[in-house]
Amino acid sequence: MFATVAIVGAGPAGLLLARMLHNAGIDSIVLEHRDRAYVEHRQRAGMLEQGTVDALRACGAAERLDREGLVHHGIELRFDHQSHHLDFPALTGGRSVMIYAQTEIVKDLVALQLAEGGPLLFEAEAIAIEDDMLTFVRDGVEEKLGFDFVVGCDGFHGISRAAIPDARVYERDYPYSWLGILADVPPSCEELIYAHSDRGFALHSMRSPTVSRLYLQVPNDTDPDDWPDDRIWDELDARFAVDADWKLMRGPITQKAVTPMRSFVTEPMRHGRLFLAGDAAHIVPPTGAKGLNLAIADVVTLAKALQHWFTTGSPDLLNTYSDTCLRRVWRAEHFSYFMTTLLHRAPDQTPFDTRLQLSQLHRIADSRHAAAELAENYAGLP
Ligand code: APR
Ligand code: PHB
């Protein structure tokens, strides 16, 4: 078997890259370890920056997104029992974000790929990447795939990263996790609410006009079974408490899971014919919802570089790929770290630390400059 570009992983990064290459007339094969239902139902953040929406539109993958996506013009910060609205268009020169679940992006891209793209092989696990050959296992049988280029879009637990020799790794774990729920209840807010409280962080997000997504900061190694539904709603009520006429609507909880928080970057993102994109190369804590947007920005940069190589023979953009991506990645790493440490309560938090957090939150509420800095990073730098 041979593909001009071999793509490992059918998450948003691998699927969008395959789509963009297909549109540019470059053939590829996508190998995915899991089955289709698994990749289409994995819950992840669904906040799309303008650049992400533009990329999906440009490759003809935004038809449903444009019908069902919810445009958000800001977020709400809640602290000291007060709420503060950040108006993104006013603070960023007109930018907004879109809420559209990552599961739906994956479903849309899988459907397009199967209808008109190159091969997308589910339950095909890549096990080794060599110079110009990839080995994978399907139905218990080892197969070989030759390539001109191979792209590791295989997420944090994939194998591609290990094929970059002498990589430098930068990482940080956080002393708390998120307990995330999906509930069949209309969102109790029009915008996402990021809440700082003495009891820890809480986030109110949404998936659709009838499905809410909410998160609670919990200790690492929390067992979701220790959190019956009533305990979750009571804790959310306590953390979102505000001196205003506002009520959190409750409904049946349909999913419950605990996710750890991590910052991670590997450098460089390229070795010879191997390129890394998305979670394979970097992880951010979810507080700024940057993971998906970074993954998409990587593959947009890479698709352009590959297209440039195949049309002009110039390796210039391939050579600058890693540096171009890492510049954006580190900005998002800083922002995600900032949002995380601003809003969460560390296990060893002192009253001094809390005062600093509140001072910074008040600064964002009171100063247009401080608010604009947050809004620009959140809505996405061009
Ligand atoms: N062979 C084939 N596929 C593999 C292998 C392997 N050895 N290892 C992992 N995979 C697959 C996984 O099963 C997964 O479907 O690679 C895919 C990686 O997809 P994602 O984890 O979704 O990563 P990415 O496409 O980079 O998307 C990043 O995911 O975690 C979020 O916040 C992050 O939203 C961002 C997005
Ligand atoms: C989500 O909708 O799951 C979500 C939104 C914003 C975040 C994190 C997660 O910062």
Side-chain angles (χ1 to χ4, degrees):
M1 228 189 271
F2 179 87
T4 303
V5 181
I7 300 174
V8 187
L15 289 166
L16 183 66
L17 179 63
R19 175 80 190 158
M20 289 189 296
L21 294 179
H22 170 79
N23 289 350
I26 301 167
D27 72 282
S28 70
I29 293 183
V30 183
L31 302 177
E32 168 55 50
H33 179 29
R34 304 293 196 141
D35 64 22
R36 181 176 178 180
Y38 182 92
V39 304
E40 289 186 343
H41 292 95
R42 201 168 24 200
Q43 278 303 321
R44 261 89 176 268
M47 190 289 289
L48 316 188
E49 296 173 6
Q50 186 62 54
T52 299
V53 174
D54 291 345
L56 290 163
R57 280 188 187 141
C59 72
E63 195 205 317
R64 197 158 65 96
L65 164 79
D66 278 325
R67 260 185 293 127
E68 297 177 15
L70 310 169
V71 177
H72 280 206
H73 297 301
I75 56 169
E76 182 185 325
L77 289 178
R78 226 175 242 201
F79 58 94
D80 265 351
H81 294 252
Q82 302 293 320
S83 65
H84 301 271
H85 164 71
L86 294 185
D87 180 337
F88 287 171
L91 291 164
T92 65
R95 271 178 283 150
S96 296
V97 296
M98 179 97 96
I99 301 296
Y100 186 65
Q102 206 172 126
T103 48
E104 305 315 295
I105 295 179
V106 168
K107 282 179 201 163
D108 296 344
L109 288 170
V110 165
L112 281 170
Q113 183 71 15
L114 295 175
E116 44 190 72
L120 161 56
L121 310 182
F122 287 105
E123 299 181 80
E125 182 188 8
I127 55 167
I129 297 174
E130 283 134 327
D131 201 30
D132 57 359
M133 186 70 72
L134 187 157
T135 309
F136 67 99
V137 178
R138 192 163 48 143
D139 292 331
V141 179
E142 270 192 24
E143 298 181 55
K144 299 280 184 192
L145 173 62
F147 54 75
D148 286 340
F149 295 99
V150 59
V151 187
C153 299
D154 48 350
F156 186 64
H157 301 287
I159 61 152
S160 309
R161 194 167 59 239
I164 299 210
D166 304 324
R168 294 177 300 279
V169 165
Y170 303 85
E171 62 188 317
R172 177 192 177 97
D173 290 324
Y174 296 81
Y176 31 74
S177 301
W178 278 13
L179 170 66
I181 62 157
L182 269 185
D184 282 336
V185 60
S188 305
C189 49
E190 275 167 21
E191 295 172 343
L192 272 53
I193 306 174
Y194 289 80
H196 174 279
S197 95
D198 289 347
R199 307 174 66 93
F201 171 71
L203 169 62
H204 192 327
S205 180
M206 60 198 72
R207 288 290 173 266
S208 72
T210 54
V211 177
S212 295
R213 175 81 171 152
L214 295 117
Y215 298 94
L216 284 171
Q217 173 191 343
V218 291
N220 285 340
D221 301 316
T222 292
D223 180 353
D225 289 340
D226 292 339
W227 284 83
D229 295 7
D230 283 346
R231 180 175 180 207
I232 293 178
W233 290 116
D234 290 347
E235 189 62 29
L236 287 165
D237 264 337
R239 295 192 193 179
F240 285 121
V242 64
D243 296 334
D245 188 16
W246 183 84
K247 192 167 154 26
L248 179 65
M249 303 291 289
R250 298 185 177 198
I253 295 178
T254 56
Q255 253 191 54
K256 220 182 265 186
V258 171
T259 340
M261 321 256 290
R262 181 186 287 124
S263 300
F264 177 97
V265 182
T266 188
E267 297 182 354
M269 288 169 58
R270 177 210 183 167
H271 176 69
R273 300 155 183 246
L274 166 66
F275 294 81
L276 300 180
D279 278 17
H282 40 73
I283 295 287
V284 285
T287 323
K290 288 289 159 215
L292 169 67
N293 296 292
L294 281 181
I296 299 298
D298 287 353
V299 298
V300 167
T301 306
L302 184 55
K304 266 192 209 136
L306 287 167
Q307 200 177 346
H308 190 63
W309 161 259
F310 284 111
T311 50
T312 68
S314 160
D316 290 358
L317 297 184
L318 292 172
N319 290 341
T320 52
Y321 169 75
S322 179
D323 287 345
T324 303
C325 292
L326 285 167
R327 215 183 145 117
R328 171 184 293 268
V329 166
W330 278 110
R331 177 86 304 276
E333 289 290 346
H334 180 271
F335 177 65
S336 308
Y337 164 86
F338 165 77
M339 287 288 279
T340 301
T341 52
L342 175 67
L343 293 165
H344 288 71
R345 188 176 177 84
D348 59 354
Q349 180 138 332
T350 63
F352 180 84
D353 299 328
T354 306
R355 283 282 180 269
L356 290 185
Q357 287 178 326
L358 289 170
S359 168
Q360 184 61 28
L361 284 163
H362 279 292
R363 170 87 186 140
I364 293 164
D366 296 342
S367 150
R368 191 182 164 84
H369 293 291
E373 172 63 10
L374 193 157
E376 279 187 10
N377 279 280
Y378 194 101
L381 300 161

